[in-house]
Amino acid sequence: SAGIAVNNREKIHLVKSLGRLENLNKKLSGGELLKGNLGIGHTRWATHGEPSEKNAHPQVSQNSKFAVGHNGIIENYMNLKEDLISKGIKFKSQTDTEVVAQYLEYNYKGNFLEVVLNLIKSLKGSYAFGIICEDNPEEIIAARKDNPLIIGIGKNENFIASDISA
């Protein structure tokens, strides 16, 4: 499965597809249907849940305030998920990654970096994250623990990847 979340300076738009990356490319007309200046994509299946569009990454929070691409496994995701459900959060997927997105939105008080740092303190497991926030159309936060995370700096463009071959 493959997916992409793009911040177009107004909101985060999410598009996913099953199968090969070319299926996502067709769905987006080669990118023409999803304009924006900052985005995250994911081109592998989710660790948790069956292969489906709802379980494909990136995952977004309940009101699409946050989008998260994730390589790794959050070992304590079920405890975090049960806590968020008890607070009224509705989940759409079976993934540990959606727990991350929902945690960020629920605990967000206007400071993107602060909420991500608080999230990381509560996680057990391994991860490489790419995170975008609707309120910060010029920023992406990348974080890692026990998984690779590569940062590429280019001319008028920058990249992150959780796979060395990327």
Side-chain angles (χ1 to χ4, degrees):
S1 58
I4 187 166
V6 173
N7 191 331
N8 71 354
R9 298 184 192 271
E10 293 176 17
K11 63 183 271 184
I12 293 174
H13 294 275
L14 177 68
V15 178
K16 298 179 186 183
S17 69
L18 285 176
R20 299 175 138 330
L21 189 55
E22 66 191 48
N23 295 343
L24 181 64
N25 191 41
K26 285 178 188 172
K27 206 171 189 180
L28 295 170
S29 294
E32 290 298 315
L33 299 178
L34 194 58
K35 301 288 187 190
N37 62 302
L38 181 125
I40 55 175
H42 199 272
T43 58
R44 296 179 7 196
W45 60 92
T47 305
H48 295 92
E50 80 249 357
S52 66
E53 282 191 24
K54 72 177 181 176
N55 287 331
H57 297 197
Q59 288 289 324
V60 295
S61 57
Q62 191 164 288
N63 297 309
S64 298
K65 177 73 77 177
F66 290 89
V68 179
H70 168 217
N71 184 8
I73 296 175
I74 305 303
E75 295 169 7
N76 63 331
Y77 87 99
M78 193 52 80
N79 291 339
L80 295 169
K81 184 174 186 173
E82 288 169 358
D83 181 54
L84 290 166
I85 289 171
S86 75
K87 295 172 179 171
I89 303 301
K90 305 269 190 262
F91 284 80
K92 296 177 186 164
S93 80
Q94 300 164 313
T95 68
D96 55 345
T97 305
E98 185 184 2
V99 172
V100 171
Q102 299 286 23
Y103 177 100
L104 291 169
E105 183 171 302
Y106 182 82
N107 291 287
Y108 182 61
K109 308 232 182 326
N111 187 316
F112 185 20
L113 180 59
E114 182 179 294
V115 75
V116 172
L117 291 173
N118 288 335
L119 162 76
I120 288 169
K121 291 175 192 172
S122 70
L123 296 179
K124 292 183 175 119
S126 63
Y127 51 82
F129 292 130
I131 305 169
I132 59 176
C133 175
E134 179 181 272
D135 295 345
N136 299 67
E138 299 291 329
E139 296 178 27
I140 185 169
I141 292 182
R144 68 171 286 275
K145 179 182 176 242
D146 300 331
N147 275 37
L149 180 66
I150 296 90
I151 299 173
I153 308 296
K155 188 174 185 178
N156 298 318
E157 60 186 4
N158 301 304
F159 301 90
I160 61 169
S162 64
D163 189 307
I164 292 172
S165 64

